[in-house]
């Protein structure tokens, strides 16, 4: 019933392909599971940073396993020697470490800890921009690849660090 309501009333929702809607719905559940199992039911940029530092200290960072996702975001947010208009739409706040994110996205910083942290901060911004309504300003258009890559990051982190059922 609620999907029908959204299809009839939410601006642009009916125009989204089913695959886009599925990726966004999946993201909401994956984020919730990530926040519950990995972030102790409370996420913030500084706590995400602390979690990544914890993984680095424990030797469980595995940053290279996220190269495909990082490559996608680098291509989306940095082209022809400059940041794209998409980068501005992340709406990074001071707590989101914008200088660090910029350095990883432009390729000047290849530290494994910073690469994984950047991915998580991008996923964090997707979460905030979706849940606080920013993504509705452009009717959720052209978000399939963003959420597909964000979902891949969350699933891999949950497999590595979550308490999942076998």
């Amino acid at each position: 019933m609620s999907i029908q309501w959204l299809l009839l009333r939410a601006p642009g929702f009916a125009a989204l392909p089913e695959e886009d809607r599925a990726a966004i719905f999946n993201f909401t559940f994956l984020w919730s599971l990530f926040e519950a199992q990995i972030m102790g039911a409370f996420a913030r940029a500084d706590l995400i940073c602390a979690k990544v530092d914890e993984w680095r200290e424990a030797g469980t960072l595995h940053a290279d396993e996220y190269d495909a996702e990082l490559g996608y975001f680098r291509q989306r947010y940095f082209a022809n020697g400059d940041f794209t208009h998409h980068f501005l739409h992340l709406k990074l706040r001071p707590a989101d470490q914008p200088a660090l994110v910029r350095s990883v996205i432009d390729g000047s910083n290849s530290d494994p800890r910073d690469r994984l942290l950047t991915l998580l901060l991008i996923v964090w911004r997707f979460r905030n921009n979706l849940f606080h309504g920013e993504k509705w300003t452009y009717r959720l258009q052209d978000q399939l690849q963003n959420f597909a890559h964000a979902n891949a990051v969350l699933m891999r982190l949950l497999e590595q660090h979550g308490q999942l059922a076998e």
Side-chain angles (χ1 to χ4, degrees):
M1 183 60 130
S2 59
I3 190 74
Q4 289 303 322
W5 188 93
L6 287 166
L7 287 166
L8 291 171
R9 292 175 179 84
F13 193 75
L16 285 176
E18 177 57 35
E19 189 177 20
D20 293 46
R21 281 186 249 141
I24 294 166
F25 279 126
N26 291 341
F27 177 79
T28 63
F29 286 101
L30 287 167
W31 177 266
S32 178
L33 186 59
F34 168 80
E35 193 163 355
Q37 292 212 346
I38 294 177
M39 298 305 303
F42 186 71
R44 270 188 341 230
D46 62 328
L47 297 175
I48 291 169
C49 181
K51 185 58 71 174
V52 171
D53 287 341
E54 179 184 309
W55 296 332
R56 179 183 56 192
E57 296 303 314
T60 60
L61 200 59
H62 308 297
D64 292 343
E65 294 180 21
Y66 301 86
D67 284 347
E69 291 79 17
L70 181 58
Y72 166 78
F73 290 120
R74 280 181 167 158
Q75 183 178 27
R76 179 170 177 83
Y77 296 129
F78 192 80
N80 302 319
D82 204 1
F83 289 90
T84 67
H85 71 282
H86 296 296
F87 186 78
L88 297 175
H89 290 290
L90 283 174
K91 304 226 180 250
L92 293 168
R93 298 183 178 184
D96 302 326
Q97 302 189 39
L100 180 135
V101 172
R102 283 179 170 275
S103 72
V104 169
I105 294 299
D106 73 12
S108 63
N109 178 352
S110 61
D111 180 79
R113 177 255 189 202
D114 294 347
R115 291 188 349 249
L116 185 58
L117 179 56
T118 291
L119 281 173
L120 274 172
L121 290 171
I122 289 170
V123 173
W124 166 248
R125 291 313 309 160
F126 286 177
R127 177 257 186 227
N128 289 341
N129 293 343
L130 178 66
F131 294 166
H132 296 291
E134 180 66 31
K135 291 215 176 275
W136 284 101
T137 61
Y138 40 90
R139 299 180 176 212
L140 302 172
Q141 296 296 309
D142 302 318
Q143 297 298 304
L144 174 60
Q145 290 303 314
N146 287 345
F147 283 108
H149 285 87
N151 290 347
V153 168
L154 292 171
M155 286 185 288
R156 200 165 306 116
L157 286 169
L158 283 160
E159 288 170 0
Q160 292 172 347
H161 303 287
Q163 313 298 316
L164 303 175
E166 294 293 322

Short mmCIF file of all heavy atoms in Angstrom, two decimals, residues 51-98:
data_model
loop_
_atom_site.label_atom_id
_atom_site.label_comp_id
_atom_site.label_asym_id
_atom_site.label_seq_id
_atom_site.Cartn_x
_atom_site.Cartn_y
_atom_site.Cartn_z
N LYS A 51 35.75 4.40 14.17
CA LYS A 51 35.57 3.00 13.80
C LYS A 51 36.62 2.58 12.76
O LYS A 51 37.22 1.51 12.87
CB LYS A 51 34.16 2.76 13.27
CG LYS A 51 33.81 1.32 12.97
CD LYS A 51 33.95 0.39 14.15
CE LYS A 51 32.89 0.60 15.19
NZ LYS A 51 32.97 -0.42 16.27
N VAL A 52 36.85 3.44 11.77
CA VAL A 52 37.87 3.14 10.76
C VAL A 52 39.25 3.06 11.41
O VAL A 52 40.05 2.17 11.10
CB VAL A 52 37.82 4.18 9.62
CG1 VAL A 52 39.02 4.02 8.67
CG2 VAL A 52 36.51 4.05 8.84
N ASP A 53 39.53 3.96 12.35
CA ASP A 53 40.81 3.91 13.08
C ASP A 53 40.92 2.60 13.88
O ASP A 53 42.00 2.00 13.95
CB ASP A 53 40.95 5.11 14.00
CG ASP A 53 41.23 6.40 13.25
OD1 ASP A 53 41.65 6.34 12.07
OD2 ASP A 53 40.99 7.48 13.83
N GLU A 54 39.82 2.16 14.44
CA GLU A 54 39.80 0.89 15.19
C GLU A 54 40.16 -0.27 14.27
O GLU A 54 40.94 -1.16 14.63
CB GLU A 54 38.40 0.70 15.80
CG GLU A 54 38.18 -0.54 16.58
CD GLU A 54 36.73 -0.65 17.05
OE1 GLU A 54 36.21 0.33 17.64
OE2 GLU A 54 36.12 -1.70 16.81
N TRP A 55 39.59 -0.29 13.06
CA TRP A 55 39.89 -1.35 12.10
C TRP A 55 41.35 -1.29 11.66
O TRP A 55 41.99 -2.32 11.50
CB TRP A 55 38.98 -1.26 10.89
CG TRP A 55 37.53 -1.49 11.19
CD1 TRP A 55 36.99 -2.25 12.20
CD2 TRP A 55 36.42 -0.97 10.48
NE1 TRP A 55 35.62 -2.21 12.16
CE2 TRP A 55 35.24 -1.44 11.11
CE3 TRP A 55 36.30 -0.14 9.37
CZ2 TRP A 55 33.97 -1.11 10.65
CZ3 TRP A 55 35.02 0.19 8.91
CH2 TRP A 55 33.88 -0.30 9.55
N ARG A 56 41.87 -0.09 11.49
CA ARG A 56 43.28 0.04 11.10
C ARG A 56 44.17 -0.55 12.19
O ARG A 56 45.09 -1.32 11.91
CB ARG A 56 43.64 1.51 10.85
CG ARG A 56 45.12 1.68 10.47
CD ARG A 56 45.51 3.10 10.30
NE ARG A 56 45.21 3.84 11.54
CZ ARG A 56 45.22 5.15 11.65
NH1 ARG A 56 45.51 5.90 10.62
NH2 ARG A 56 44.94 5.73 12.79
N GLU A 57 43.90 -0.19 13.44
CA GLU A 57 44.70 -0.70 14.56
C GLU A 57 44.60 -2.21 14.69
O GLU A 57 45.58 -2.87 15.07
CB GLU A 57 44.28 -0.02 15.87
CG GLU A 57 44.54 1.48 15.90
CD GLU A 57 45.99 1.84 15.65
OE1 GLU A 57 46.88 1.20 16.26
OE2 GLU A 57 46.24 2.75 14.84
N ALA A 58 43.44 -2.76 14.38
CA ALA A 58 43.22 -4.20 14.49
C ALA A 58 43.74 -4.96 13.26
O ALA A 58 43.71 -6.20 13.24
CB ALA A 58 41.74 -4.49 14.68
N GLY A 59 44.16 -4.24 12.23
CA GLY A 59 44.62 -4.88 11.01
C GLY A 59 43.51 -5.44 10.15
O GLY A 59 43.72 -6.34 9.34
N THR A 60 42.29 -4.90 10.31
CA THR A 60 41.13 -5.41 9.55
C THR A 60 40.54 -4.36 8.61
O THR A 60 39.37 -4.42 8.28
CB THR A 60 40.04 -5.91 10.52
OG1 THR A 60 39.62 -4.82 11.35
CG2 THR A 60 40.54 -7.06 11.37
N LEU A 61 41.36 -3.42 8.17
CA LEU A 61 40.89 -2.33 7.32
C LEU A 61 40.50 -2.83 5.93
O LEU A 61 39.43 -2.49 5.42
CB LEU A 61 41.99 -1.27 7.22
CG LEU A 61 41.62 0.11 6.80
CD1 LEU A 61 40.60 0.74 7.74
CD2 LEU A 61 42.86 0.98 6.72
N HIS A 62 41.35 -3.59 5.28
CA HIS A 62 41.09 -4.17 3.95
C HIS A 62 40.66 -3.12 2.93
O HIS A 62 39.76 -3.36 2.13
CB HIS A 62 40.04 -5.28 4.04
CG HIS A 62 40.33 -6.34 5.05
ND1 HIS A 62 41.44 -7.16 4.97
CD2 HIS A 62 39.68 -6.69 6.18
CE1 HIS A 62 41.44 -7.98 6.01
NE2 HIS A 62 40.40 -7.71 6.76
N ALA A 63 41.29 -1.97 2.93
CA ALA A 63 40.89 -0.86 2.06
C ALA A 63 40.95 -1.22 0.58
O ALA A 63 40.14 -0.71 -0.21
CB ALA A 63 41.75 0.37 2.35
N ASP A 64 41.89 -2.08 0.19
CA ASP A 64 42.02 -2.43 -1.23
C ASP A 64 40.78 -3.13 -1.77
O ASP A 64 40.53 -3.11 -2.97
CB ASP A 64 43.25 -3.31 -1.45
CG ASP A 64 44.55 -2.56 -1.21
OD1 ASP A 64 44.53 -1.31 -1.18
OD2 ASP A 64 45.59 -3.23 -1.04
N GLU A 65 40.00 -3.75 -0.90
CA GLU A 65 38.79 -4.44 -1.33
C GLU A 65 37.70 -3.48 -1.80
O GLU A 65 36.67 -3.91 -2.33
CB GLU A 65 38.26 -5.34 -0.21
CG GLU A 65 39.20 -6.48 0.11
CD GLU A 65 38.67 -7.38 1.22
OE1 GLU A 65 37.43 -7.38 1.46
OE2 GLU A 65 39.49 -8.07 1.84
N TYR A 66 37.91 -2.19 -1.59
CA TYR A 66 36.91 -1.17 -1.95
C TYR A 66 37.38 -0.30 -3.12
O TYR A 66 36.80 0.74 -3.37
CB TYR A 66 36.62 -0.30 -0.72
CG TYR A 66 36.09 -1.11 0.44
CD1 TYR A 66 36.97 -1.72 1.34
CD2 TYR A 66 34.73 -1.28 0.63
CE1 TYR A 66 36.49 -2.48 2.39
CE2 TYR A 66 34.24 -2.04 1.69
CZ TYR A 66 35.13 -2.64 2.55
OH TYR A 66 34.66 -3.40 3.59
N ASP A 67 38.40 -0.76 -3.83
CA ASP A 67 38.95 0.04 -4.93
C ASP A 67 37.94 0.32 -6.03
O ASP A 67 37.94 1.41 -6.61
CB ASP A 67 40.20 -0.62 -5.51
CG ASP A 67 41.43 -0.45 -4.62
OD1 ASP A 67 41.39 0.37 -3.67
OD2 ASP A 67 42.43 -1.15 -4.88
N ALA A 68 37.09 -0.63 -6.35
CA ALA A 68 36.10 -0.42 -7.41
C ALA A 68 35.12 0.70 -7.03
O ALA A 68 34.82 1.58 -7.86
CB ALA A 68 35.34 -1.71 -7.71
N GLU A 69 34.67 0.67 -5.80
CA GLU A 69 33.74 1.71 -5.35
C GLU A 69 34.43 3.07 -5.29
O GLU A 69 33.86 4.07 -5.73
CB GLU A 69 33.15 1.34 -3.99
CG GLU A 69 32.20 0.16 -4.04
CD GLU A 69 32.89 -1.20 -4.09
OE1 GLU A 69 34.09 -1.30 -3.76
OE2 GLU A 69 32.23 -2.18 -4.48
N LEU A 70 35.65 3.10 -4.78
CA LEU A 70 36.39 4.35 -4.74
C LEU A 70 36.63 4.88 -6.15
O LEU A 70 36.49 6.08 -6.41
CB LEU A 70 37.71 4.19 -3.99
CG LEU A 70 38.54 5.46 -3.86
CD1 LEU A 70 37.77 6.58 -3.14
CD2 LEU A 70 39.85 5.15 -3.13
N GLY A 71 36.94 4.00 -7.07
CA GLY A 71 37.13 4.40 -8.46
C GLY A 71 35.89 5.04 -9.04
O GLY A 71 35.96 6.05 -9.75
N TYR A 72 34.74 4.45 -8.75
CA TYR A 72 33.48 5.03 -9.23
C TYR A 72 33.30 6.45 -8.68
O TYR A 72 32.99 7.38 -9.43
CB TYR A 72 32.29 4.16 -8.84
CG TYR A 72 30.99 4.89 -9.01
CD1 TYR A 72 30.43 5.03 -10.28
CD2 TYR A 72 30.34 5.51 -7.94
CE1 TYR A 72 29.25 5.75 -10.47
CE2 TYR A 72 29.18 6.22 -8.12
CZ TYR A 72 28.64 6.33 -9.39
OH TYR A 72 27.48 7.07 -9.56
N PHE A 73 33.49 6.63 -7.38
CA PHE A 73 33.27 7.95 -6.78
C PHE A 73 34.31 8.96 -7.23
O PHE A 73 33.99 10.13 -7.43
CB PHE A 73 33.19 7.85 -5.25
CG PHE A 73 31.94 7.16 -4.79
CD1 PHE A 73 32.01 6.00 -4.03
CD2 PHE A 73 30.69 7.64 -5.13
CE1 PHE A 73 30.86 5.35 -3.62
CE2 PHE A 73 29.53 6.99 -4.73
CZ PHE A 73 29.62 5.85 -3.97
N ARG A 74 35.54 8.50 -7.45
CA ARG A 74 36.54 9.42 -7.99
C ARG A 74 36.12 9.91 -9.37
O ARG A 74 36.24 11.10 -9.67
CB ARG A 74 37.90 8.74 -8.05
CG ARG A 74 38.62 8.71 -6.73
CD ARG A 74 39.98 8.05 -6.84
NE ARG A 74 40.78 8.29 -5.65
CZ ARG A 74 41.78 7.53 -5.28
NH1 ARG A 74 42.14 6.48 -6.01
NH2 ARG A 74 42.46 7.83 -4.19
N GLN A 75 35.65 9.02 -10.18
CA GLN A 75 35.22 9.40 -11.54
C GLN A 75 34.01 10.32 -11.49
O GLN A 75 33.90 11.26 -12.27
CB GLN A 75 34.91 8.14 -12.34
CG GLN A 75 34.52 8.39 -13.77
CD GLN A 75 34.27 7.10 -14.52
OE1 GLN A 75 33.91 6.07 -13.94
NE2 GLN A 75 34.46 7.14 -15.83
N ARG A 76 33.09 10.08 -10.59
CA ARG A 76 31.89 10.90 -10.48
C ARG A 76 32.19 12.30 -9.95
O ARG A 76 31.60 13.28 -10.40
CB ARG A 76 30.86 10.21 -9.57
CG ARG A 76 29.57 11.02 -9.40
CD ARG A 76 28.50 10.22 -8.70
NE ARG A 76 27.31 11.00 -8.48
CZ ARG A 76 26.34 11.22 -9.36
NH1 ARG A 76 26.44 10.73 -10.58
NH2 ARG A 76 25.28 11.93 -9.05
N TYR A 77 33.10 12.38 -9.00
CA TYR A 77 33.31 13.64 -8.29
C TYR A 77 34.53 14.44 -8.73
O TYR A 77 34.70 15.58 -8.30
CB TYR A 77 33.39 13.38 -6.79
CG TYR A 77 32.10 12.83 -6.22
CD1 TYR A 77 32.09 11.69 -5.44
CD2 TYR A 77 30.88 13.45 -6.49
CE1 TYR A 77 30.90 11.19 -4.92
CE2 TYR A 77 29.70 12.96 -5.98
CZ TYR A 77 29.71 11.83 -5.20
OH TYR A 77 28.54 11.33 -4.70
N PHE A 78 35.37 13.85 -9.60
CA PHE A 78 36.57 14.58 -10.02
C PHE A 78 36.85 14.24 -11.48
O PHE A 78 37.04 13.07 -11.82
CB PHE A 78 37.76 14.18 -9.14
CG PHE A 78 38.97 15.05 -9.31
CD1 PHE A 78 39.04 16.28 -8.67
CD2 PHE A 78 40.02 14.66 -10.12
CE1 PHE A 78 40.16 17.10 -8.82
CE2 PHE A 78 41.14 15.47 -10.27
CZ PHE A 78 41.21 16.69 -9.62
N ALA A 79 36.87 15.24 -12.33
CA ALA A 79 37.12 15.02 -13.76
C ALA A 79 37.82 16.23 -14.35
O ALA A 79 37.58 17.37 -13.93
CB ALA A 79 35.80 14.77 -14.49
N ASN A 80 38.69 15.97 -15.30
CA ASN A 80 39.41 17.04 -15.99
C ASN A 80 40.12 17.99 -15.02
O ASN A 80 40.11 19.20 -15.21
CB ASN A 80 38.47 17.83 -16.90
CG ASN A 80 37.79 16.94 -17.92
OD1 ASN A 80 38.42 16.06 -18.50
ND2 ASN A 80 36.51 17.14 -18.12
N GLY A 81 40.70 17.41 -13.97
CA GLY A 81 41.49 18.20 -13.04
C GLY A 81 40.71 19.05 -12.06
O GLY A 81 41.29 19.90 -11.39
N ASP A 82 39.41 18.81 -11.94
CA ASP A 82 38.61 19.62 -11.01
C ASP A 82 37.45 18.80 -10.46
O ASP A 82 37.06 17.78 -11.03
CB ASP A 82 38.06 20.86 -11.73
CG ASP A 82 37.74 22.00 -10.78
OD1 ASP A 82 37.95 21.85 -9.55
OD2 ASP A 82 37.27 23.05 -11.27
N PHE A 83 36.89 19.28 -9.38
CA PHE A 83 35.74 18.62 -8.78
C PHE A 83 34.50 18.93 -9.61
O PHE A 83 34.30 20.06 -10.07
CB PHE A 83 35.57 19.06 -7.32
CG PHE A 83 36.64 18.51 -6.45
CD1 PHE A 83 37.83 19.22 -6.25
CD2 PHE A 83 36.51 17.26 -5.87
CE1 PHE A 83 38.85 18.69 -5.48
CE2 PHE A 83 37.53 16.73 -5.10
CZ PHE A 83 38.70 17.44 -4.91
N THR A 84 33.65 17.93 -9.79
CA THR A 84 32.44 18.08 -10.59
C THR A 84 31.33 18.71 -9.76
O THR A 84 31.43 18.81 -8.53
CB THR A 84 31.96 16.71 -11.11
OG1 THR A 84 31.52 15.93 -9.99
CG2 THR A 84 33.07 15.97 -11.86
N HIS A 85 30.27 19.09 -10.45
CA HIS A 85 29.11 19.65 -9.74
C HIS A 85 28.49 18.62 -8.80
O HIS A 85 27.89 18.98 -7.80
CB HIS A 85 28.08 20.21 -10.73
CG HIS A 85 27.35 19.15 -11.50
ND1 HIS A 85 27.90 18.48 -12.58
CD2 HIS A 85 26.11 18.63 -11.33
CE1 HIS A 85 27.03 17.60 -13.04
NE2 HIS A 85 25.94 17.67 -12.30
N HIS A 86 28.67 17.34 -9.10
CA HIS A 86 28.14 16.30 -8.22
C HIS A 86 28.78 16.36 -6.84
O HIS A 86 28.13 16.06 -5.84
CB HIS A 86 28.36 14.90 -8.82
CG HIS A 86 27.65 14.65 -10.09
ND1 HIS A 86 26.28 14.64 -10.20
CD2 HIS A 86 28.13 14.41 -11.33
CE1 HIS A 86 25.94 14.38 -11.45
NE2 HIS A 86 27.04 14.25 -12.16
N PHE A 87 30.06 16.72 -6.79
CA PHE A 87 30.77 16.78 -5.51
C PHE A 87 30.10 17.78 -4.57
O PHE A 87 29.94 17.51 -3.38
CB PHE A 87 32.24 17.14 -5.72
CG PHE A 87 33.05 17.07 -4.46
CD1 PHE A 87 33.47 15.85 -3.95
CD2 PHE A 87 33.38 18.22 -3.77
CE1 PHE A 87 34.20 15.78 -2.77
CE2 PHE A 87 34.12 18.17 -2.60
CZ PHE A 87 34.53 16.95 -2.10
N LEU A 88 29.69 18.91 -5.10
CA LEU A 88 29.03 19.91 -4.26
C LEU A 88 27.73 19.39 -3.67
O LEU A 88 27.34 19.78 -2.56
CB LEU A 88 28.76 21.18 -5.08
CG LEU A 88 29.99 21.92 -5.60
CD1 LEU A 88 29.58 23.08 -6.48
CD2 LEU A 88 30.87 22.38 -4.45
N HIS A 89 27.06 18.50 -4.40
CA HIS A 89 25.79 17.96 -3.92
C HIS A 89 25.93 16.98 -2.76
O HIS A 89 24.94 16.61 -2.14
CB HIS A 89 25.01 17.31 -5.07
CG HIS A 89 24.49 18.30 -6.06
ND1 HIS A 89 23.48 19.18 -5.79
CD2 HIS A 89 24.88 18.55 -7.34
CE1 HIS A 89 23.25 19.93 -6.84
NE2 HIS A 89 24.10 19.58 -7.80
N LEU A 90 27.16 16.57 -2.47
CA LEU A 90 27.36 15.76 -1.26
C LEU A 90 27.03 16.57 -0.01
O LEU A 90 26.63 16.01 1.00
CB LEU A 90 28.81 15.26 -1.17
CG LEU A 90 29.20 14.11 -2.05
CD1 LEU A 90 30.69 13.84 -1.94
CD2 LEU A 90 28.41 12.86 -1.69
N LYS A 91 27.23 17.89 -0.10
CA LYS A 91 26.97 18.79 1.02
C LYS A 91 27.79 18.40 2.24
O LYS A 91 27.27 18.27 3.35
CB LYS A 91 25.49 18.85 1.34
CG LYS A 91 24.63 19.26 0.15
CD LYS A 91 23.64 20.30 0.54
CE LYS A 91 22.81 20.68 -0.66
NZ LYS A 91 23.08 21.99 -1.12
N LEU A 92 29.09 18.20 2.01
CA LEU A 92 29.99 17.88 3.12
C LEU A 92 29.98 19.00 4.14
O LEU A 92 30.03 20.17 3.79
CB LEU A 92 31.41 17.67 2.60
CG LEU A 92 31.63 16.45 1.72
CD1 LEU A 92 32.99 16.53 1.05
CD2 LEU A 92 31.50 15.17 2.53
N ARG A 93 29.92 18.62 5.39
CA ARG A 93 29.96 19.58 6.50
C ARG A 93 31.34 19.50 7.15
O ARG A 93 32.07 18.54 6.94
CB ARG A 93 28.85 19.26 7.48
CG ARG A 93 27.51 19.40 6.77
CD ARG A 93 26.36 19.18 7.66
NE ARG A 93 25.15 19.39 6.85
CZ ARG A 93 23.95 19.35 7.33
NH1 ARG A 93 23.77 19.11 8.61
NH2 ARG A 93 22.91 19.55 6.56
N PRO A 94 31.68 20.47 7.98
CA PRO A 94 33.02 20.44 8.60
C PRO A 94 33.34 19.12 9.30
O PRO A 94 34.47 18.63 9.21
CB PRO A 94 32.97 21.61 9.58
CG PRO A 94 32.02 22.58 8.94
CD PRO A 94 30.95 21.71 8.29
N ALA A 95 32.39 18.51 9.97
CA ALA A 95 32.64 17.24 10.67
C ALA A 95 32.91 16.09 9.69
O ALA A 95 33.47 15.07 10.08
CB ALA A 95 31.45 16.89 11.56
N ASP A 96 32.52 16.28 8.42
CA ASP A 96 32.71 15.24 7.41
C ASP A 96 34.10 15.26 6.79
O ASP A 96 34.35 14.55 5.82
CB ASP A 96 31.66 15.40 6.29
CG ASP A 96 30.24 15.33 6.81
OD1 ASP A 96 29.98 14.60 7.77
OD2 ASP A 96 29.39 16.04 6.23
N GLN A 97 34.98 16.06 7.35
CA GLN A 97 36.37 16.15 6.91
C GLN A 97 36.50 16.41 5.41
O GLN A 97 37.10 15.62 4.67
CB GLN A 97 37.14 14.89 7.32
CG GLN A 97 37.11 14.67 8.82
CD GLN A 97 38.04 13.56 9.26
OE1 GLN A 97 39.13 13.43 8.74
NE2 GLN A 97 37.60 12.79 10.23
N PRO A 98 35.95 17.52 4.94
CA PRO A 98 35.97 17.79 3.50
C PRO A 98 37.36 17.85 2.88
O PRO A 98 37.54 17.41 1.75
CB PRO A 98 35.24 19.13 3.37
CG PRO A 98 35.14 19.69 4.73
CD PRO A 98 35.26 18.56 5.70
#
